[in-house]
Amino acid sequence: MQSVVVVESPAKAKTINKYLGSGYTVLASYGHIRDLPSKDGSVKPDQDFALEWEMDVKSNKRVKDIADALKDADRLILATDPDREGEAISWHVLEALKNRKVLKGKDVQRVTFNAITKDSVKAAMAAPRDIDMELVDAYLARRALDYLVGFSLSPVLWRKLPGSRSAGRVQSVALRIIVDREVEIEKFKPQEYWSVDAILANSAKESFPARLSAFDGKKLKRLDIPDQTMAHAARDAVKKGDFKVSAVEAKPTKRNPPPPFTTSTLQQEAARKLGFSASRTMQVAQRLYEGVDIGGETVGLITYMRTDGVSMDEGAMREIRTAIGSRFGNEYVPDSPRKYASKIKNAQEAHEAIRPTDPQRFPDRMRLDGDQAKLYDLIWKRAVASQMEAASIERTSVDFVEPTGKVELRATGQVILFDGFLKLYQEGRDDEEDEENRRLPQMKQGERVDVREVKADQHFTEPPPRFSEASLVKKLEELGIGRPSTYAAILEKLRERNYVTMDKNRFIPDDRGRLVTAFLENFFRKYVEYDFTADLEEQLDQVSSGDLPWKKLMATFWKDFHAAIEDIGDLRITQVLDTLNEVLGPHIFPAKEDGSDPRLCPLCGVGQLSLRLGKYGAFVGCSNYNGDPPCKFTRPLAPAEGAESAIPSEGQEIGEGPTGPITLKSGRFGPYLEMPNGDDKPKRAGLPKGWTPESITLDRARALMSLPRQVGMHPSENEMILAGIGRYGPYLQMGKMYASLASVEDVFEIQMNRAVAVIDEKKAGGGKGRFGRAAPAAIKEFAESPVTGKPVKVLNGRYGPYIADGETNANVPKDKKPEDVTFEEALQLLAARAEAGGGKKKKKAPAKKAAAEKPKKEAAPKKAAAKKASAKKAAKKT
């Protein structure tokens, strides 16, 4: 019997084909083959939510290949992933083949496997089933909901809030979480408090720290010492005190390991420990799941990575317990396997936790590339640790009191008696301090202690931290918003839309994001409520479990949502502006330290500043714009930190540029430079992030106006490498490929050696470039740089060996062999290179070159236009 097996990816197809042998033809669908067209009417609520699907040219060819293969086959086996999306892909393939009428007389089977190993695949083939239509219905409901929200709400945003990009069912709620946290931070008022700490010594002269726990007969909480007066009084009382031990309490406790990873917890931990984004984590996990070449055989190293379950196959638990015994000793193996249950409501998609397919494949014995090695190590350790013995910890507290009983001190400590799972793995934390692990010396009740040192320290309460990827995913999961397979896409979409920026791996809402959130909260509040979105997720889970028909869910949702869209049709722009001016006032017009009116125009000194909407988005303008004379002051929504700079409306001339005077001007999107450009429109360049109008010198202005800067020809690709600044920040460009640079200064200073390395690393990283070659192999690799936090490597570049720390490159001296470079020497060379920088001479030459060549590039369109005009004239005569 000949069978055609359909999977999602060519990598998965290649691996499975080796397992199944000659009786099977394994083909890839390359993900979804159909989708709703990006146009109005793809979902038809008035036709019982009929869906109009579309297939592109590539998908049509893949379906044709599957159909052609079926001509000589007896059976179609749909072997896509074991979750909702996998079920939907199988359903789409089946529907497309039915439309081609190629399934007559063919046996159609659906199989799923949680790991791509020979045993798992063959076991799945022996247990086929039908397509799970309840999971397909859940997919249809989600897809239809997301489409209707996007295609109904986004046009409202475009009309009422120009410059906005889009709104989404879950995306908008995630954005609201980020904005709400930022507002909370802005409203936060620090509170002063003091702590009093002492160094004590017991009768054996062993010293240890203690903290004031009671003063003047009152037990103290964290904020109970509000000022210096009370703190110094308490400090002096401790200095004079004659303290004795009043109580000793030792509590033994057990600390159990965390469960193995789900999709969400993997994304959180990879963000904390590896600095991976959610999308990067899922891409690497996908490669580990689909298979890695080991000794000539392609093997899946982990189980399926989109799951919200924490349970583990009993056979896998036995294998892990065996690996623990052989690696760490039998004392680390608990008496019975540990079984975990998910705390998440309606946990379903793929039920088993993420784990290694073979725990005997120890990470330190595997030869994997950088990202794969790091993520596999994390997954292996977490899964193995989840089956290890608990850690035994003793927590000790000792109280001390002086004779009057009005002043008390307390010392605390803990000691690990048996490390258990902590020998292998400790879970990361978000915005918390680790517990101190210190042992207190032996003391007994009534023992006298000496006060060796006392200090009073001032502190201030801090606002809640901004969300990192890890803490935002955790928050979304806690609120029941989104599902494991959607988190990476949600976060990526917010960045793509420029609704947020990232600073030190934390989300900061952009002004555009704050505007959209304020608009939705005031005019579509129900649809960005946390509870509403979570309730809708629960209903979608009911669809997947067969408890709710998907079209009934859609009808209920659409009735209210459509009415809300209709109601807002008559909303005037002035109403939107009035509301946003009030809601965003504290952010747009923050109070000034001198108490003056924050809305008073800094240019004319008469008009009032307010929010205005233009073709390209919102900006702040002066109410006196129709005055006599009119005031043309504008600025972006949020003023830059520091005093507001009032650039004259006609601009401020900086000096002479290559094609005329360079003028500094102020626009609705902030300050910018302008320079004549022959007969064409003037050339303009906005000031990069971190550059203030006051910092603009003639050299800086000329360098900025000359961008993009030509760095040089790539030695092997024979294409020019350019450095420039775009909407997403500083970049390198070669052809159609772009690679980000760390800072604006790099645009002007980067030289060929490092530029080629950055481009080659981008190509090797599997990004959106056109190439896929390997990155230069490291000759030598050291520990992380104390400056960048990234590994220091000695690499072999196009122009000889060099040292890199992720941000700076330094050539290896000619009299030194690259393999003989020490870590200390590498750090010294990097520091010297960073200090030397790129000098002014290196900035100017490329700038002049680029400026000189610019007119040549722009002459081409004029010649083409002249030819076209000539051709038209000739045709007219004829």
Side-chain angles (χ1 to χ4, degrees):
M1 178 183 285
Q2 289 294 316
S3 301
V4 173
V5 181
V6 178
V7 296
E8 294 95 336
S9 73
K12 189 174 174 182
K14 183 180 176 183
T15 305
I16 291 171
N17 203 40
K18 292 177 181 177
Y19 296 156
L20 296 178
S22 59
Y24 296 84
T25 301
V26 186
L27 299 173
S29 70
Y30 290 79
H32 280 282
I33 59 163
R34 305 194 301 184
D35 199 3
L36 298 172
S38 297
K39 64 178 185 181
D40 198 25
S42 296
V43 178
K44 301 177 174 61
D46 54 346
Q47 296 179 30
D48 197 24
F49 298 96
L51 306 173
E52 180 184 307
W53 300 104
E54 177 183 71
M55 257 199 294
D56 61 21
V57 175
K58 289 181 179 177
S59 294
N60 259 313
K61 183 181 183 310
R62 285 158 193 154
V63 171
K64 182 181 181 301
D65 291 343
I66 296 169
D68 290 345
L70 276 170
K71 290 176 184 177
D72 301 319
D74 308 295
R75 180 172 57 170
L76 170 67
I77 301 174
L78 302 166
T80 49
D81 290 339
D83 61 358
R84 183 185 60 244
E85 290 298 311
E87 209 70 24
I89 291 170
S90 284
W91 176 77
H92 276 302
V93 169
L94 185 61
E95 291 297 301
L97 293 172
K98 282 179 181 176
N99 292 340
R100 286 178 174 265
K101 300 185 179 357
V102 295
L103 294 176
K104 188 175 181 181
K106 313 289 184 187
D107 187 18
V108 178
Q109 297 177 350
R110 170 81 170 111
V111 302
T112 58
F113 33 83
N114 196 44
I116 303 180
T117 62
K118 187 177 286 188
D119 290 343
S120 296
V121 171
K122 291 199 168 179
M125 293 296 172
R129 60 168 174 83
D130 294 329
I131 284 182
D132 185 340
M133 285 308 300
E134 290 167 352
L135 273 184
V136 174
D137 286 348
Y139 157 80
L140 295 174
R142 284 177 184 274
R143 193 67 195 88
L145 273 174
D146 291 342
Y147 173 89
L148 288 174
V149 171
F151 273 82
S152 303
L153 196 50
S154 295
V156 172
L157 281 178
W158 301 333
R159 290 195 304 271
K160 308 297 181 185
L161 207 62
S164 300
R165 298 289 296 276
S166 70
R169 181 176 63 86
V170 180
Q171 161 200 323
S172 299
V173 184
L175 178 60
R176 184 193 160 191
I177 292 173
I178 295 169
V179 171
D180 284 353
R181 175 58 59 88
E182 195 69 19
V183 172
E184 195 179 348
I185 292 169
E186 289 169 356
K187 288 181 177 178
F188 180 82
K189 295 190 184 309
Q191 181 180 344
E192 180 185 5
Y193 70 98
W194 289 69
S195 63
V196 177
D197 297 288
I199 300 295
L200 306 180
N202 65 356
S203 55
K205 307 300 182 188
E206 298 170 301
S207 61
F208 55 92
R211 174 164 290 200
L212 182 68
S213 58
F215 179 59
D216 209 12
K218 178 190 172 186
K219 292 289 183 185
L220 295 176
K221 294 179 183 175
R222 179 168 167 256
L223 305 178
D224 281 353
I225 304 179
D227 52 40
Q228 187 181 46
T229 304
M230 183 176 174
H232 284 185
R235 179 195 64 190
D236 295 341
V238 173
K239 281 181 179 178
K240 296 173 185 174
D242 183 14
F243 290 92
K244 290 184 179 180
V245 176
S246 60
V248 178
E249 185 179 22
K251 284 185 179 178
T253 184
K254 294 266 188 189
R255 186 168 162 192
N256 291 315
F261 283 131
T262 62
T263 303
S264 163
T265 54
L266 175 63
Q267 290 174 0
Q268 292 172 48
E269 196 75 337
R272 293 187 199 108
K273 291 192 170 182
L274 307 179
F276 286 8
S277 66
S279 56
R280 182 178 173 187
T281 298
M282 297 312 291
Q283 287 166 5
V284 179
Q286 182 88 31
R287 293 199 289 271
L288 292 173
Y289 165 70
E290 290 184 340
V292 174
D293 189 271
I294 299 174
E297 183 183 1
T298 306
V299 180
L301 295 184
I302 63 169
T303 55
Y304 191 57
M305 65 285 160
R306 291 187 182 90
T307 173
D308 46 19
V310 290
S311 62
M312 211 185 276
D313 177 75
E314 288 191 6
M317 286 192 285
R318 285 194 297 272
E319 290 175 357
I320 287 175
R321 285 164 62 83
T322 301
I324 294 168
S326 65
R327 186 86 175 204
F328 303 105
N330 290 330
E331 66 271 26
Y332 287 90
V333 183
D335 293 336
S336 58
R338 293 184 178 277
K339 295 187 178 179
Y340 298 92
S342 178
K343 295 178 184 176
I344 302 169
K345 264 189 175 183
N346 302 312
Q348 43 93 30
E349 306 199 351
H351 299 288
E352 196 179 353
I354 304 169
R355 60 172 176 81
T357 54
D358 182 355
Q360 295 290 345
R361 291 195 184 101
F362 300 114
D364 54 0
R365 298 178 188 171
M366 304 291 291
R367 291 186 178 180
L368 301 173
D369 71 25
D371 280 4
Q372 289 182 13
K374 290 174 187 174
L375 196 65
Y376 179 71
D377 180 72
L378 193 65
I379 292 168
W380 186 91
K381 284 179 176 175
R382 175 82 168 224
V384 173
S386 74
Q387 290 299 318
M388 290 177 76
E389 186 60 86
S392 296
I393 299 170
E394 184 179 78
R395 292 193 172 98
T396 307
S397 63
V398 183
D399 292 322
F400 310 89
V401 66
E402 43 82 62
T404 66
K406 291 186 176 181
V407 182
E408 293 180 27
L409 300 172
R410 168 168 281 203
T412 58
Q414 72 169 22
V415 62
I416 297 173
L417 304 176
F418 173 67
D419 54 5
F421 76 94
L422 293 176
K423 187 177 185 71
L424 177 64
Y425 180 83
Q426 185 151 351
E427 189 173 23
R429 300 179 177 214
D430 289 311
D431 313 309
E432 295 178 27
E433 292 182 7
D434 288 336
E435 294 177 12
E436 289 187 64
N437 184 36
R438 63 165 174 259
R439 186 192 291 271
L440 291 176
Q442 288 290 327
M443 285 174 279
K444 58 186 178 182
Q445 196 160 346
E447 182 180 342
R448 185 179 174 280
V449 294
D450 295 327
V451 178
R452 290 190 171 177
E453 185 185 326
V454 187
K455 63 177 181 176
D457 290 323
Q458 183 187 38
H459 309 277
F460 290 92
T461 53
E462 293 185 356
R466 293 184 174 113
F467 285 105
S468 63
E469 284 219 356
S471 56
L472 183 57
V473 166
K474 186 177 181 181
K475 184 70 173 177
L476 289 168
E477 190 173 45
E478 286 172 356
L479 293 171
I481 294 169
R483 285 298 178 260
S485 58
T486 65
Y487 293 141
I490 291 168
L491 304 188
E492 200 61 37
K493 189 68 71 178
L494 292 177
R495 281 189 285 257
E496 281 177 12
R497 296 286 184 256
N498 288 335
Y499 287 155
V500 297
T501 55
M502 300 297 289
D503 181 46
K504 296 177 182 175
N505 292 323
R506 300 275 170 169
F507 287 99
I508 302 175
D510 190 76
D511 286 337
R512 182 181 288 171
R514 295 184 77 135
L515 266 174
V516 169
T517 299
F519 178 83
L520 293 176
E521 280 191 298
N522 284 276
F523 300 107
F524 281 91
R525 186 165 188 83
K526 174 181 176 181
Y527 299 98
V528 288
E529 289 284 1
Y530 302 151
D531 290 345
F532 175 80
T533 310
D535 288 344
L536 194 56
E537 288 290 349
E538 286 193 25
Q539 292 177 53
L540 288 163
D541 288 339
Q542 290 175 27
V543 173
S544 64
S545 61
D547 297 325
L548 178 66
W550 78 275
K551 290 186 178 180
K552 183 178 178 181
L553 181 155
M554 292 298 305
T556 304
F557 172 83
W558 180 248
K559 181 182 175 183
D560 294 339
F561 184 71
H562 183 61
I565 295 289
E566 293 292 311
D567 289 345
I568 209 167
D570 297 329
L571 187 68
R572 293 178 177 273
I573 296 289
T574 52
Q575 292 173 271
V576 174
L577 283 174
D578 289 344
T579 301
L580 296 182
N581 259 314
E582 182 180 345
V583 173
L584 295 174
H587 170 65
I588 303 172
F589 311 107
K592 295 191 173 182
E593 290 182 7
D594 60 5
S596 60
D597 183 3
R599 290 186 184 243
L600 185 67
C601 178
L603 187 58
C604 70
V606 177
Q608 287 282 299
L609 301 181
S610 63
L611 183 67
R612 294 169 64 187
L613 292 176
K615 182 179 179 182
Y616 300 107
F619 63 97
V620 171
C622 179
S623 61
N624 201 26
Y625 64 93
N626 282 330
D628 187 17
C631 179
K632 296 183 179 180
F633 177 82
T634 59
R635 69 161 170 81
L637 254 61
E641 290 184 13
E644 214 170 63
S645 174
I647 300 169
S649 56
E650 67 276 9
Q652 175 186 334
E653 189 170 318
I654 303 296
E656 196 67 24
T659 59
I662 301 175
T663 308
L664 176 65
K665 294 189 173 184
S666 178
R668 63 184 59 174
F669 303 114
Y672 65 92
L673 294 173
E674 183 176 281
M675 182 177 69
N677 193 22
D679 297 331
D680 295 333
K681 286 183 179 179
K683 183 173 182 179
R684 290 174 179 151
L687 299 195
K689 189 175 180 180
W691 287 25
T692 61
E694 295 78 15
S695 71
I696 298 300
T697 62
L698 182 56
D699 281 344
R700 270 192 160 193
R702 284 174 173 169
L704 193 59
M705 296 305 290
S706 70
L707 295 180
R709 166 186 160 234
Q710 293 185 343
V711 181
M713 295 291 287
H714 192 290
S716 61
E717 304 297 341
N718 202 30
E719 285 195 74
M720 179 60 70
I721 299 176
L722 302 174
I725 301 171
R727 61 186 300 189
Y728 301 113
Y731 67 86
L732 283 180
Q733 178 189 0
M734 186 180 74
K736 293 182 179 179
M737 189 183 71
Y738 292 81
S740 296
L741 290 173
S743 70
V744 171
E745 284 67 31
D746 283 346
V747 173
F748 305 104
E749 296 174 4
I750 193 167
Q751 300 301 313
M752 273 301 290
N753 204 28
R754 184 177 164 215
V756 170
V758 171
I759 290 290
D760 287 349
E761 284 171 16
K762 173 70 175 178
K763 290 190 292 184
K768 295 179 181 177
R770 296 174 290 158
F771 309 93
R773 297 182 184 173
I779 301 170
K780 204 169 184 179
E781 189 165 349
F782 302 109
E784 291 178 348
S785 163
V787 177
T788 66
K790 297 174 183 176
V792 175
K793 299 178 181 179
V794 181
L795 301 164
N796 205 3
R798 299 281 181 187
Y799 302 98
Y802 67 101
I803 303 159
D805 64 359
E807 291 184 13
T808 304
N809 284 10
N811 290 328
V812 174
K814 290 181 179 179
D815 59 347
K816 189 86 173 177
K817 289 184 178 179
E819 53 269 22
D820 294 339
V821 175
T822 66
F823 187 39
E824 290 72 25
E825 288 172 337
L827 292 178
Q828 288 171 9
L829 288 165
L830 288 166
R833 178 71 183 97
E835 188 176 347
K840 287 187 178 179
K841 288 182 180 178
K842 290 182 180 177
K843 282 191 199 177
K844 286 182 181 177
K848 287 181 180 177
K849 184 178 176 183
E853 290 184 6
K854 183 79 177 175
K856 291 181 183 179
K857 288 185 178 179
E858 293 178 353
K862 291 182 183 178
K863 286 181 182 178
K867 277 187 179 180
K868 196 172 181 182
S870 178
K872 278 186 178 179
K873 198 172 180 183
K876 198 173 181 182
K877 284 182 179 179
T878 305

